[in-house]
């Protein structure tokens, strides 16, 4: 039946080829399924080889059986032959009735999931969990064997280190000496390691011709061994001294024929030669006569040959390990990364990852092969990212200079997180709120994790927690002895204060004058401030010492602030004085004088006293130096601001609390600062040394009216908060282009926006600074933004107060503390935005195009461009920031710029939140900063001159640590100036005939405070030379944009003499004592006091 076998084999080969074809066309997503496919194909190829060999034997017909069968069929009766074979088949099945019939067609066919396809259990058994189906090596057992080798026990290396040196067999990486390599233990170790690597290759590359590769390893080794070029196995150099006899015994040491003993150490062998035992043995051997040369030569030759064979076998295994490791270098590198990653995981996380890997593989194996191909096709593109940079919003790696700018290559270790290392400051700051850090604190027994920001050491965390625990216990024990009472309005206070408060003979003499406004009108002081002083003296005169706490109770009722639970009155006059002393006061002997209680420290005691009193009034809003205080300081944009340290920081939650903080601070004549977003560049702008910083970040309300035309915004918001609130509603306001900037300072200084060409600047978009103020003995509040004036009143500012409304539109912080604004709101959907980077050689083309763009800008009010030149990571570049208020990819007004060849671009259609967040990445926090600004007429020649001056002055200092100098140009078109006059105009002092203008902004970022003077003097020279060049061309202008100005620049003089004089007059009217000029010295002052 050879012909039947021949036919069967041909059919089998065709089925095998079809099975291979079906599997090659399949493209499994998971590595597990891919390995299963490859192993099946490998099995089919092996069967093809076996069947082909059988078929070839049949065709060769060495025994003539095939020819005989053909002859019988062709000459005899074909039916007889047929029935003969049929009877043989029946006879076979009678003898073996249960013999299964193999359906090869079904066995080779690629079955779809759900058709009975068996699970890939064989693949699961081929790999360990650590190998992850061949993605990583699992050398843990071999690592343990390595650590137990002779010569290694004293040098304990980690598994990660072992992955780096397991294929290194020569010093200094391998401490094992050549004699120690001849041991059976080492021979077995290198054998197992070579076998593992070879087996790993066979398991992961079943379709490669590995036998050919391994054979090449053997031939290469033979050549290297003959040439004595195998590393670590060359000619041995002999030690200085008498030559030792040829080695016998185990072949691992030096043999002494006289003593018939082997020495592992040459020095021991040499020293024993002078010993009595050896001398006696040598004399005895000499008496027996010399050994014949033939016998000695045979012994030497036999020992040397055995040693050479063993060394060659060991060297051959080492050589194969090197070759195999070089073949799997990618897998080895991935294994190192995986081990480092898993070292930061818990055992539970490792198990979850392994389960997820298996579940994912099962899920993909059950999914039809054609499913989701179309949806996933776009994700199959491989991204070239050799430096492993983080991915940007578009899924592509961020530029390397941006990676360096944000310090993403800087390591920040955290001991609490198990010495995990975070790359970059942003990731480090973010991790304090992540599960890993919180879990680490909980393992230390720390439950309140909010106060442990910036603390990474275990010892520091435990010390702080211990102190907090002790303070809490002390506070609780002190408060347990005080009986608490509650009045009709829900205010809780000690029992003694409660009865004093209810006493009718005290309040008529103390409260009634205040309600009548008598004290305020008579003495010209804020009523609350005067009450603070006069009531204390009146209580002292009446010897009602405990009644001093009525002052605090009244302030609490005035401000709707709850008192501390352990707030208790003194029991006698001495205790009263002691408590006042702890508050920062001391007696000075004059019982009738308001100054009876004076500050202890003449320089800073008044501010410290303010802080102490405010800590009692606003206990959850007052922060002294400590972890939370430091975290709040670190939120400033520039290092100069963060380094300016106040005596305390107050975070009021309402305009009422702002007013109380202001009144208490002013009463003690303490200097203060007000912080909105904290994005000023110089120290003291929104911070104050040893004063009180009023941080508005908790004034973060945002509300839009039902018509979508006005948005109420608390001045503690940043623009990112406003945009994230309005973007889902398809609304926008005239706000910052860098979304990390605060609302208040940006708007009070003018505020250039992407929408300024159509709606004006941000200050022109404030419809109402609405205020509440004190009238008829109670506080009235409307539903708009608020301003705290110098007298402590919270007043409404809009067109009904035209002078103050005009002054606030560009007048900065000289008139009050703005706590809320009403901003004009308009519809806004998707828009075009992004940055394009150009080579510096394109500067001339960019400047010429920008001059024409500024002139044509009124023709398209949806367009905006910022042109900037900067030095980043060793390269001078040009960077254009584009924005177009409509979702148009190629606006005609940008055509000239888009025709230029750029180096990179992020232009896309996106929402306002996305586009403004991108610009934030170009100005990271934590660096030293400086701004300078000047304004010129729109002229290409002055642009070129300013660029040349900037490049000439900055190039010599470009190597300062962390320096990033930038020169930016922004337009003020005629159409924008025309919008300055709406709603009564603003205070900026620009007229229509002056436009179009260009704002020149010089911005420098650097790291080292030692370079401050160099940077400041250089930037000043750039501005001075630029102004001189502009005057020579007749294109200069007096205006200085406040938000880009440097400390010392005369901003209000640039508004014009008329506007400056009007601002001073308004300031005198609303702030006659100059509180906001003297006690709030930060930022830009009017200069009249």
């Amino acid at each position: 039946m050879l012909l039947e076998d021949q036919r069967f084999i041909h059919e089998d080969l065709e089925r095998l080829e079809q099975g291979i074809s079906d599997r090659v066309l399949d493209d499994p997503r998971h590595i597990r399924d891919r390995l299963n496919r490859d192993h099946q194909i490998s099995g089919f190829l092996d069967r093809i080889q076996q069947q082909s060999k059988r078929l070839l034997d049949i065709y060769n017909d060495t025994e003539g059986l095939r020819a005989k069968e053909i002859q019988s069929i062709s000459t005899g009766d074909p039916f007889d032959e047929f029935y003969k074979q049929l009877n043989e088949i029946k006879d076979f099945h009678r003898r073996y009735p249960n013999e299964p019939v193999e359906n090869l067609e079904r066995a080779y066919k690629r079955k779809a999931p759900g058709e009975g396809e068996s699970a890939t259990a064989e693949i699961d058994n081929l790999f360990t969990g650590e190998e992850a189906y061949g993605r990583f090596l699992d050398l843990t057992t071999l690592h343990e064997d390595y650590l137990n080798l002779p010569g290694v026990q004293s040098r304990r290396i980690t598994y990660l280190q072992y992955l780096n040196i397991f294929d290194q067999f020569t010093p200094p990486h391998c401490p094992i000496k050549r004699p120690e390599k001849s041991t059976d233990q080492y021979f077995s170790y290198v054998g197992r390691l070579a076998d593992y690597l070879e087996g790993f290759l066979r398991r992961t590359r079943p379709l490669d011709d590995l036998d050919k590769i391994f054979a090449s390893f053997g031939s290469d080794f033979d050549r290297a061994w003959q040439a004595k070029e195998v590393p670590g196995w060359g000619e041995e150099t002999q030690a200085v001294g008498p030559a030792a006899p040829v080695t016998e015994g185990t072949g691992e040491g030096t043999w002494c024929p006289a003593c018939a003993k082997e020495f592992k150490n040459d020095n021991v062998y040499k020293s024993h030669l002078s010993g009595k035992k050896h001398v006696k043995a040598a004399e005895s051997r000499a008496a027996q006569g010399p050994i014949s040369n033939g016998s000695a030569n045979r012994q030497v030759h036999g020992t040397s040959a055995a040693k050479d064979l063993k060394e060659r076998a060991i060297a051959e295994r080492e050589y194969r390990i090197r070759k195999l490791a070089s073949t799997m270098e990618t897998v080895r590198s991935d294994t190192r990364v995986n081990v480092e990653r898993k070292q930061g995981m818990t055992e539970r996380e490792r198990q979850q990852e392994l389960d997820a890997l298996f579940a994912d593989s099962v899920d993909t194996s059950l999914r039809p092969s054609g499913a989701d191909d179309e949806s996933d096709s776009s994700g199959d593109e491989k991204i070239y990212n050799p430096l492993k940079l983080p991915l940007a919003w578009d899924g592509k790696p961020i530029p390397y200079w941006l990676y360096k700018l944000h310090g993403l290559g800087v390591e920040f270790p955290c001991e609490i997180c198990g010495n995990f290392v975070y790359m970059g400051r942003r990731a480090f700051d973010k991790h304090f709120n992540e599960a890993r850090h919180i879990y680490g604190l909980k393992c230390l027994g720390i439950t309140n994790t909010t106060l442990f920001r910036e603390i990474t050491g275990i010892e520091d965390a435990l010390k702080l927690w211990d102190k907090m625990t002790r303070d809490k216990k002390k506070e609780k024990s002190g408060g347990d002895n005080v009986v608490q009472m509650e009045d009709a309005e829900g205010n809780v206070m000690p029992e003694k204060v409660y009865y004093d408060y209810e006493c009718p003979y005290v309040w008529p003499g103390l409260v009634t004058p205040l309600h009548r406004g008598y004290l305020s009108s008579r003495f010209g002081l804020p009523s609350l401030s005067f009450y603070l002083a006069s009531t204390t003296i009146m209580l002292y005169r009446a010897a009602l010492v405990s009644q001093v706490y009525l002052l605090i109770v009244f302030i609490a009722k005035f401000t709707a602030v709850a008192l501390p639970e352990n707030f208790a009155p003194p029991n006698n006059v001495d205790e009263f004085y002691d408590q006042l002393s702890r508050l920062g006061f001391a007696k000075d002997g004059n019982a009738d004088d308001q100054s009876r209680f004076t500050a202890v420290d003449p320089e800073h005691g008044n501010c410290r006293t303010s802080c102490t009193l405010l800590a009692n009034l606003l206990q959850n809003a007052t922060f002294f130096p400590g972890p939370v205080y430091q975290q709040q300081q670190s939120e400033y944009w520039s290092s100069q601001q963060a380094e300016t340290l106040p005596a305390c920081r107050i975070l009021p939650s309402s305009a009422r609390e702002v007013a109380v903080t202001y009144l208490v601070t002013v009463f003690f004549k303490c200097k203060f600062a007000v912080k909105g977003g904290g994005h000023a560049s110089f120290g003291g702008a929104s911070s104050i040394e040893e004063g009180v910083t009023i941080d508005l970040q908790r004034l973060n309300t945002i509300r839009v009216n039902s018509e979508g035309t006005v948005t109420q915004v608390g001045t503690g918001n940043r623009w990112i908060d406003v945009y994230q609130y309005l973007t889902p509603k398809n609304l926008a306001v005239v706000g910052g282009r860098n979304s990390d900037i605060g609302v208040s300072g940006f708007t009070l200084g003018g505020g250039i926006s992407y929408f300024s060409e159509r709606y004006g600047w941000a200050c022109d978009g404030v419809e109402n600074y609405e205020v509440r103020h004190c009238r008829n003995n109670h506080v009235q509040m409307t539903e708009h933004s608020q301003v705290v004036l110098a007298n402590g009143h919270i007043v409404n500012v809009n067109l009904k107060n035209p002078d103050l409304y005009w002054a606030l539109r560009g007048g900065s912080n000289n008139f009050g503390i703005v706590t809320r604004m009403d901003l004009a709101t308009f519809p806004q959907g998707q828009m075009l935005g992004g940055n394009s980077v150009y080579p510096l050689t394109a500067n001339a083309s960019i400047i010429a195009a920008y001059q024409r763009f500024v002139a044509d800008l009124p023709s398209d009010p949806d367009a905006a461009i910022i042109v900037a030149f900067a030095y980043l990571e060793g390269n001078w570049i040009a960077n254009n920031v584009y924005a177009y208020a409509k979702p148009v990819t190629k606006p005609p007004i940008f055509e000239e710029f888009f025709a230029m060849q750029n180096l990179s671009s992020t232009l896309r259609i996106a929402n306002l939140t996305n586009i403004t967040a991108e610009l934030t990445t170009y100005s990271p926090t934590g660096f030293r900063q400086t701004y300078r600004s000047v304004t010129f007429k729109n002229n290409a020649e002055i642009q070129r001159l300013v660029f040349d001056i900037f490049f000439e002055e900055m190039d010599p200092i470009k190597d300062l640590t962390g320096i990033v100098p930038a020169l930016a140009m922004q337009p003020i078109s005629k159409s924008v100036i025309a919008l300055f006059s709406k709603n009564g105009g603003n205070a900026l002092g620009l007229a229509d005939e002056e436009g179009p203008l260009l704002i020149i902004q010089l911005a420098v970022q650097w790291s080292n405070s030692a370079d401050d003077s160099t940077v400041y003097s250089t930037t000043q020279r750039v501005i001075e030379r630029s102004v001189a060049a502009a005057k020579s061309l007749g294109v200069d202008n007096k205006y200085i944009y406040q938000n880009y100005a440097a400390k010392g620049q005369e901003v209000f003089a640039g508004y014009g003499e008329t506007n400056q004089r009007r601002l001073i007059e308004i300031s005198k009217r609303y702030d006659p004592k100059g509180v906001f000029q003297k006690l709030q010295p930060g930022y830009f002052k009017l200069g009249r006091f």
Side-chain angles (χ1 to χ4, degrees):
M1 301 178 63
L2 289 177
L3 294 179
E4 181 63 24
D5 291 343
Q6 178 180 324
R7 182 197 60 78
F8 169 76
I9 293 173
H10 277 293
E11 290 183 356
D12 194 28
L13 290 175
E14 290 180 1
R15 295 190 193 101
L16 288 168
E17 290 173 355
Q18 185 61 44
I20 292 174
S21 176
D22 292 342
R23 284 159 177 78
V24 169
L25 292 176
D26 187 22
D27 186 18
R29 290 189 178 91
H30 198 273
I31 187 174
R32 180 172 180 262
D33 301 323
R34 190 161 56 251
L35 283 172
N36 181 53
R37 179 202 63 181
D38 292 347
H39 277 277
Q40 287 182 354
I41 293 175
S42 177
F44 290 170
L45 291 174
D46 292 340
R47 183 170 176 83
I48 286 176
Q49 288 182 343
Q50 296 172 2
Q51 295 290 61
S52 299
K53 184 178 179 181
R54 286 182 58 196
L55 188 60
L56 186 61
D57 292 339
I58 293 174
Y59 278 116
N60 289 334
D61 195 20
T62 55
E63 298 180 1
L65 296 178
R66 180 173 178 272
K68 183 178 179 180
E69 186 172 338
I70 294 174
Q71 180 68 22
S72 64
I73 292 175
S74 59
T75 58
D77 187 353
F79 290 101
D80 289 343
E81 184 64 27
F82 169 77
Y83 284 112
K84 178 182 178 182
Q85 293 183 8
L86 179 61
N87 291 331
E88 290 178 357
I89 293 173
K90 289 181 178 179
D91 182 59
F92 176 83
H93 284 288
R94 278 195 299 270
R95 285 181 291 162
Y96 307 102
N98 297 323
E99 183 73 15
V101 179
E102 185 178 9
N103 188 342
L104 295 179
E105 184 174 0
R106 184 172 181 177
Y108 299 153
K109 186 178 179 181
R110 176 74 172 96
K111 297 180 181 178
E115 295 183 5
E117 180 77 345
S118 60
T120 54
E122 294 181 1
I123 299 300
D124 295 337
N125 295 330
L126 284 177
F127 299 96
T128 66
E130 288 293 326
E131 289 175 330
Y133 300 113
R135 294 169 58 195
F136 313 118
L137 297 171
D138 184 5
L139 301 177
T140 51
T141 303
L142 292 163
H143 173 235
E144 294 177 0
D145 293 343
Y146 176 81
L147 294 178
N148 292 319
L149 291 175
V152 182
Q153 290 92 338
S154 60
R155 184 183 176 186
R156 310 294 293 183
I157 64 172
T158 64
Y159 180 55
L160 192 60
Q161 292 172 322
Y162 176 73
L163 288 172
N164 291 323
I165 59 98
F166 71 82
D167 60 339
Q168 303 292 328
F169 301 102
T170 56
H173 303 291
C174 180
I176 305 175
K177 298 179 181 179
R178 180 168 177 174
E180 296 170 340
K181 289 185 177 182
S182 299
T183 61
D184 293 338
Q185 187 178 357
Y186 182 80
F187 181 77
S188 175
Y189 160 74
V190 291
R192 289 195 303 274
L193 179 56
D195 291 343
Y196 171 81
L197 297 177
E198 184 176 328
F200 186 87
L201 272 180
R202 292 188 183 277
R203 287 178 288 147
T204 56
R205 303 183 188 180
L207 299 181
D208 291 358
D209 191 359
L210 297 178
D211 291 331
K212 183 178 179 181
I213 296 175
F214 298 154
S216 67
F217 293 168
S219 58
D220 292 344
F221 170 75
D222 291 338
R223 287 193 296 270
W225 182 261
Q226 293 296 331
K228 300 189 182 299
E229 295 175 353
V230 180
W233 297 97
E235 291 287 350
E236 288 189 283
T237 57
Q238 295 294 332
V240 179
V246 178
T247 301
E248 295 184 3
T250 63
E252 299 176 4
T254 304
W255 179 260
C256 178
C259 301
K261 184 179 180 182
E262 185 179 25
F263 294 88
K264 295 290 183 70
N265 190 293
D266 286 344
N267 293 328
V268 176
Y269 166 76
K270 294 172 185 177
S271 62
H272 103 287
L273 295 176
S274 58
K276 293 181 179 180
K277 186 175 180 180
H278 173 77
V279 173
K280 185 176 181 180
E283 292 175 351
S284 174
R285 187 177 183 84
Q288 296 175 4
I291 300 175
S292 64
N293 291 337
S295 176
N297 289 337
R298 284 193 301 272
Q299 292 180 5
V300 171
H301 178 73
T303 303
S304 178
K307 179 182 178 182
D308 288 344
L309 286 174
K310 191 168 187 179
E311 287 185 345
R312 189 182 191 281
I314 295 172
E316 191 270 340
R317 295 188 177 191
E318 292 181 353
Y319 188 85
R320 293 176 70 84
I321 292 171
R322 290 193 192 93
K323 288 291 187 179
L324 290 167
S326 64
T327 305
M328 297 184 291
E329 188 58 40
T330 302
V331 177
R332 182 181 183 179
S333 176
D334 292 343
T335 303
R336 287 195 293 263
V337 174
N338 183 58
V339 171
E340 289 178 345
R341 181 179 62 85
K342 285 195 171 184
Q343 285 178 347
M345 300 169 62
T346 64
E347 183 61 31
R348 180 182 179 186
E349 291 173 332
R350 295 192 189 100
Q351 187 61 40
Q352 288 176 343
E353 182 183 73
L354 188 61
D355 294 342
L357 177 66
F358 179 77
D360 185 41
S361 67
V362 172
D363 178 66
T364 56
S365 65
L366 295 176
R367 189 184 303 147
S369 59
D372 299 334
D373 285 345
E374 181 178 353
S375 62
D376 290 345
S377 60
S378 60
D380 292 338
E381 181 182 356
K382 185 176 181 180
I383 298 175
Y384 180 70
N385 189 11
L387 298 179
K388 298 182 180 179
L389 301 174
L391 300 182
W393 60 270
D394 56 357
K396 297 180 180 179
I398 65 173
Y400 183 68
W401 61 264
L402 189 60
Y403 169 83
K404 296 292 288 184
L405 175 67
H406 287 281
L408 298 181
V410 181
E411 297 182 351
F412 292 89
C414 179
E415 186 181 9
I416 295 174
C417 297
N419 291 319
F420 190 84
V421 177
Y422 296 89
M423 304 305 295
R425 182 74 195 186
R426 182 172 296 180
F428 177 69
D429 291 340
K430 185 180 178 181
H431 99 279
F432 290 105
N433 297 324
E434 293 177 347
R436 185 197 304 274
H437 189 81
I438 294 174
Y439 178 76
L441 289 173
K442 288 183 178 180
C443 290
L444 299 176
I446 299 172
T447 56
N448 184 8
T449 60
T450 57
L451 300 179
F452 288 79
R453 197 174 181 88
E454 296 293 332
I455 295 179
T456 59
I458 293 177
E459 184 179 356
D460 296 338
L462 291 175
K463 286 182 179 178
L464 178 59
W465 180 249
D466 181 60
K467 183 179 184 302
M468 292 172 59
T469 305
R470 284 187 277 106
D471 292 346
K472 189 174 182 179
K473 289 181 179 179
K474 183 178 179 181
E475 180 181 350
K476 185 177 181 180
S477 62
D480 290 342
N481 300 325
V482 179
V483 177
Q484 302 292 333
M485 305 290 285
E486 182 176 353
D487 64 8
E489 297 182 8
N491 296 311
V492 178
M493 62 194 77
E495 180 183 17
K496 191 172 184 179
V497 174
Y498 173 81
Y499 287 117
D500 288 339
Y501 173 68
E502 296 293 330
C503 182
Y505 65 84
V506 177
W507 283 103
L510 299 179
V511 181
T512 304
L514 176 66
H515 280 225
R516 293 173 181 171
Y518 166 77
L519 298 176
S520 178
S521 60
R522 178 177 178 182
F523 295 96
L525 295 173
S527 56
L528 180 60
S529 298
F530 186 81
Y531 184 72
L532 181 65
S534 60
T535 304
T536 304
I537 299 169
M538 293 170 66
L539 292 173
Y540 174 77
R541 285 176 178 174
L544 299 174
V545 176
S546 63
Q547 301 297 328
V548 72
Y549 287 84
L550 294 179
L551 167 64
I552 308 301
V553 172
F554 179 75
I555 292 176
K557 296 176 85 53
F558 183 86
T559 60
V561 176
L563 290 169
E565 293 182 0
N566 59 347
F567 193 75
N571 296 315
N572 51 59
V573 174
D574 292 333
E575 186 174 337
F576 169 63
Y577 280 130
D578 290 340
Q579 294 192 11
L580 287 180
S581 297
R582 285 197 295 273
L583 288 175
F585 290 99
K587 296 184 294 182
D588 83 358
N590 187 355
D592 295 329
D593 190 0
Q594 176 180 323
S595 62
R596 140 178 301 287
F597 307 109
T598 58
V600 176
D601 185 345
E603 183 179 359
H604 299 303
N606 51 359
C607 287
R608 292 170 185 168
T609 303
S610 299
C611 291
T612 304
L613 181 56
L614 288 169
N616 284 276
L617 295 175
L618 308 174
Q619 58 180 341
N620 294 323
T622 306
F623 298 92
F624 294 92
V628 178
Y629 173 100
Q630 291 296 336
Q631 169 59 27
Q632 294 168 358
Q633 285 293 113
S634 68
E635 294 173 358
Y636 282 104
W637 175 58
S638 71
S639 295
Q640 295 98 312
Q641 287 258 77
E643 293 167 358
T644 305
L645 304 178
C648 64
R649 298 177 55 84
I650 311 298
L651 273 67
S653 300
S654 65
R656 184 180 299 205
E657 292 186 7
V658 172
V660 170
T661 303
Y662 165 80
L663 289 170
V664 171
T665 305
V666 171
F667 173 75
F668 290 108
K669 292 183 172 55
C670 172
K671 292 184 178 181
F672 65 95
V674 180
K675 172 183 173 289
H679 206 272
S681 61
F682 55 87
S686 54
S687 56
I688 186 80
E689 189 70 31
E690 286 295 338
V692 174
T693 294
I694 305 174
D695 191 336
L696 305 179
Q697 63 175 274
R698 292 182 178 176
L699 303 182
N700 55 5
T701 57
I702 306 174
R703 287 184 294 179
V704 64
N705 64 1
S706 58
E707 295 81 10
T709 57
V710 178
T711 302
Q712 293 182 347
V713 179
T715 50
N717 285 293
R718 299 175 189 249
W719 287 113
I720 183 64
D721 306 315
V722 180
Y723 295 153
Q724 287 178 343
Y725 178 84
L726 294 177
T727 295
K729 306 177 187 298
N730 288 324
L731 298 174
V733 295
V734 180
R737 296 157 298 180
N738 179 341
S739 59
D740 194 45
I741 293 175
V743 170
S744 57
F746 173 85
T747 306
L748 291 173
I752 307 175
S753 170
Y754 286 141
F755 309 114
S756 291
E757 198 63 30
R758 184 177 293 276
Y759 301 104
W761 283 7
C763 64
D764 303 311
V766 180
E767 294 193 350
N768 204 357
Y769 301 88
E770 193 182 10
V771 185
R772 43 176 211 183
H773 57 288
C774 296
R775 289 180 181 173
N776 300 328
N777 304 327
H778 66 279
V779 177
Q780 298 175 339
M781 188 176 92
T782 55
E783 295 298 326
H784 303 278
S785 55
Q786 303 158 338
V787 180
V788 178
L789 296 182
N791 61 1
H793 290 178
I794 309 174
V795 294
N796 185 24
V797 179
N798 51 29
L799 285 173
K800 296 179 181 179
N801 313 90
D803 283 349
L804 188 55
Y805 180 61
W806 175 87
L808 288 174
R809 297 166 69 184
S812 188
N813 60 1
N814 290 285
F815 304 93
I817 303 174
V818 180
T819 56
R820 193 164 65 205
M821 300 177 181
D822 293 352
L823 304 180
T825 308
F826 49 86
Q828 179 61 48
Q830 298 285 95
M831 59 185 292
L832 174 71
N835 296 266
S836 292
V837 178
Y838 303 88
L840 194 65
T841 53
N843 71 86
S845 301
I846 293 174
I847 288 174
Y850 197 56
Q851 189 272 336
R852 291 187 286 272
F853 167 80
V854 174
D856 296 339
L857 193 51
S859 66
D860 193 342
D862 293 317
I865 298 180
I866 303 172
V867 169
F869 304 97
Y871 180 79
L872 289 172
E873 290 298 319
N875 295 297
W876 288 99
I877 61 169
N879 183 36
N880 288 2
V881 180
Y882 298 100
Y884 197 78
K886 296 177 181 178
V888 180
T889 56
K890 294 183 179 180
I893 197 169
F894 292 164
E895 183 177 0
E896 189 172 358
F897 295 97
F898 287 1
M900 302 178 190
Q901 183 64 41
N902 61 59
L903 300 176
S904 64
S905 178
T906 63
L907 279 172
R908 74 261 185 208
I909 301 296
N911 57 46
L912 182 61
T913 303
N914 180 285
I915 291 172
T916 54
E918 180 184 1
L919 199 58
T920 303
T921 62
Y922 291 92
S923 56
T925 60
F927 292 90
R928 308 191 74 75
Q929 307 281 353
T930 188
Y931 277 170
R932 281 189 179 273
S933 179
V934 70
T935 306
F936 301 138
K937 293 182 179 178
N938 181 34
N939 180 276
E941 181 62 24
I942 190 58
Q943 292 183 52
R944 285 191 288 271
L945 288 175
V946 171
F947 168 78
D948 292 338
I949 293 170
F950 167 74
F951 184 82
E952 181 182 335
E953 291 287 351
M954 289 297 170
D955 195 63
I957 67 171
K958 65 183 181 183
D959 294 326
L960 295 181
T961 304
I963 192 167
V964 181
L967 177 73
M969 302 179 187
Q970 304 174 53
I972 309 178
S973 67
K974 287 188 175 183
S975 56
V976 170
I977 296 176
L979 292 169
F980 285 175
S981 60
K982 70 178 182 180
N983 295 331
N986 59 39
L988 303 179
L990 291 175
D992 293 345
E993 61 274 10
E994 295 182 69
L997 300 172
L998 274 181
I999 294 176
I1000 306 297
Q1001 177 197 7
L1002 181 59
V1004 182
Q1005 167 188 304
W1006 72 102
S1007 300
N1008 196 342
S1009 60
D1011 300 325
D1012 288 1
S1013 59
T1014 301
V1015 174
Y1016 291 147
S1017 60
T1018 304
T1019 54
Q1020 185 174 356
R1021 284 197 305 273
V1022 172
I1023 295 301
E1024 290 175 349
R1025 292 180 58 188
S1026 298
V1027 171
K1031 288 182 177 179
S1032 66
L1033 295 174
V1035 295
D1036 59 307
N1037 188 277
K1038 64 184 182 304
Y1039 178 70
I1040 297 175
Y1041 181 52
Q1042 182 179 143
N1043 293 348
Y1044 294 161
K1047 186 177 183 179
Q1049 286 193 281
E1050 297 293 337
V1051 171
F1052 295 110
Y1055 288 8
E1057 184 179 351
T1058 302
N1059 282 15
Q1060 187 179 17
R1061 184 182 299 112
R1062 184 180 176 187
L1063 287 171
I1064 292 174
E1065 291 173 354
I1066 295 172
S1067 176
K1068 287 181 178 179
R1069 189 183 316 154
Y1070 287 94
D1071 184 13
K1073 293 186 177 297
V1075 172
F1076 290 106
Q1077 305 298 315
K1078 298 176 182 177
L1079 294 184
Q1080 188 187 10
Y1083 218 49
F1084 300 101
K1085 301 287 103 176
L1086 299 175
R1088 53 100 178 177
F1089 288 97

